[in-house]
Amino acid sequence: MIQVIARSESRAITGVLINLASSEEVNIDWSIWSINSTDKLYYYVLKGLPDGYYKVSVNGVESEMFHITSDELELKDTVLIQYSMKDNRERQDAIFWISDTQHFFDWRVHGGFKDDDWSFGVNNEQFTDADNNISEIYSVESLNKTFTLGNSSGCPIWFAAMLNRILSCTYVYFNGDRYIRMESNIPEKNILLDGYRSYVFKQALTSVEVVDYSESDNLLKIRRVDDVNYRKVSNKLLTI
């Protein structure tokens, strides 16, 4: 989803999708939602694009280049991060609820979870009686993982800034599994080669196990592409 939040803006908001291979330009047909009496949200969902490289231009300002692919070999070393908020009151840089409908943003990056970066925890309390018998009063286990952002070529520094922003959201899913940052951990920078602006980042996360109606709704929303297409659970491609 592309969003432009216009605050008392008098200029028209224009958008163009640019195919970098063919130089073809397609005007974006914005949907418009009134946030309040003065502010408006212009939004558009990119979908159904052929494989290739693209940019988006908004009022003449171009985005970073992005890649659309259906090649499983390219996708296998990537992670799809999807995120949303419980309401629109806590952030001013994105709108997550439009006309009472919740939306998730998607961001696919190179990276993943290494088996060596798993750790385990427990929050429990035990009782020992006079005969030194131990019983469990309560016990809740936890699974902690470290997410690696970037591949052997690294990634730009702004990837870490983006990840740090995303982890401030209420709901964050990595390939369909929900995580939350561990305490106050932030992305840890590792420089691949001195003199080059390319990095690998480590972020400590805790797995979230929630079983309620809102979680079930979220799991459907993050798989939905449109009215009939859903992402497969077993891989990163689409199914009907």
Side-chain angles (χ1 to χ4, degrees), residues 59-86:
N59 280 30
V61 180
E62 291 189 357
S63 72
E64 297 279 348
M65 180 182 69
F66 58 93
H67 185 197
I68 301 294
T69 182
S70 56
D71 187 344
E72 285 195 82
L73 290 178
E74 292 187 67
L75 293 172
K76 68 181 181 66
D77 294 325
T78 67
V79 172
L80 177 62
I81 304 175
Q82 296 170 282
Y83 54 99
S84 186
M85 293 290 291
K86 63 181 180 181

Side-chain angles (χ1 to χ4, degrees), residues 180-238:
I180 190 171
R181 76 167 83 231
M182 186 185 297
E183 298 177 345
S184 298
N185 275 269
I186 56 175
E188 176 188 339
K189 181 171 65 176
N190 298 278
I191 300 175
L192 290 181
L193 188 63
D194 288 340
Y196 290 87
R197 296 178 181 177
S198 190
Y199 313 90
V200 170
F201 297 91
K202 296 280 192 175
Q203 172 65 54
L205 302 171
T206 298
S207 177
V208 178
E209 302 294 339
V210 180
V211 182
D212 61 17
Y213 74 92
S214 65
E215 192 70 10
S216 298
D217 287 348
N218 287 346
L219 292 175
L220 282 177
K221 291 172 184 174
I222 64 176
R223 288 183 54 214
R224 182 179 292 118
V225 177
D226 52 38
D227 291 340
V228 295
N229 292 303
Y230 286 78
R231 290 184 176 90
K232 287 181 179 179
V233 175
S234 57
N235 63 41
K236 304 177 181 66
L237 299 183
L238 306 183

